[in-house]
Amino acid sequence: MTRAPDPKEIKILSDILALVLDEQPGHAATALERVRQMARRDGVTGGALKNLFTTRIGTISGNNETEREKRLREQISRLERRLGQSESDTRTAQARLGRCQTDLGLIQLELATLRMQRPWRYIAIIFAAAAGLLVGIAGTQFYHSLSVTRAPIDRASYLR
């Protein structure tokens, strides 16, 4: 990762570039070699150096910067709207999740209640069937006790 050059280095680079443009060939070659050494040391490419000079010196026109700023501001506002929409969607989903969890809890409670009541239902059915059978037998015996009885038949004679 490259470090940002400080103003002193920019001043030195601009002085060296001024020497490069100088008429004397010895000074120009020395200045170019010095620029190469500084670029290698700092890991600066030619394109990065060009961008450094164009942004520092201001060769980019003000119109392009205002259009770029306008595009960036539009992009920021678009991203802020998307962020707001995402936050709204997240809150809606969290509310829906909360309702679903509440419903799940109620369903589980109802299921547990039904499972607990199931043995009692079987016991109640068995108790009702036994009580009905006993009432039926008692009712039949009561009816026969009220009716006229005939002489008892000796059934032992059939078995001889």
Side-chain angles (χ1 to χ4, degrees), residues 121-139:
R121 284 184 184 173
Y122 293 135
I123 292 171
I125 290 172
I126 291 171
F127 181 74
L133 185 63
L134 289 176
V135 168
I137 292 172

Side-chain angles (χ1 to χ4, degrees), residues 82-146:
R82 286 180 55 194
L83 177 63
Q85 181 64 36
S86 297
E87 288 173 348
S88 174
D89 292 345
T90 302
R91 283 190 298 271
T92 303
Q94 286 174 340
R96 200 177 306 160
L97 176 64
R99 285 193 303 270
C100 289
Q101 287 174 339
T102 303
D103 291 346
L104 177 65
L106 292 173
I107 289 171
Q108 287 176 340
L109 181 65
E110 187 175 332
L111 182 63
T113 304
L114 286 174
R115 285 183 181 164
M116 289 177 61
Q117 289 177 352
R118 199 173 283 161
W120 294 107
R121 284 184 184 173
Y122 293 135
I123 292 171
I125 290 172
I126 291 171
F127 181 74
L133 185 63
L134 289 176
V135 168
I137 292 172
T140 306
Q141 289 298 322
F142 181 71
Y143 174 75
H144 287 295
S145 69
L146 292 179

Side-chain angles (χ1 to χ4, degrees), residues 33-50:
E33 187 56 36
R34 179 71 180 139
V35 169
R36 282 190 191 111
Q37 288 174 357
M38 289 177 72
R40 270 190 237 119
R41 182 192 68 202
D42 294 337
V44 177
T45 63
L49 189 61
K50 177 185 169 188

Side-chain angles (χ1 to χ4, degrees), residues 2 4-6 12 15 30 54 60 62-63 74 90 110 122 127 132 136 146:
T2 62
D6 62 358
I12 293 171
D15 290 342
T30 307
T54 57
I60 298 175
N63 191 19
E74 288 173 359
T90 302
E110 187 175 332
Y122 293 135
F127 181 74
L146 292 179

Side-chain angles (χ1 to χ4, degrees), residues 70-86:
K70 184 179 177 183
R71 283 193 316 259
L72 290 175
R73 289 182 197 280
E74 288 173 359
Q75 185 177 6
I76 289 171
S77 64
R78 187 172 59 250
L79 290 173
E80 286 174 345
R81 282 193 304 272
R82 286 180 55 194
L83 177 63
Q85 181 64 36
S86 297

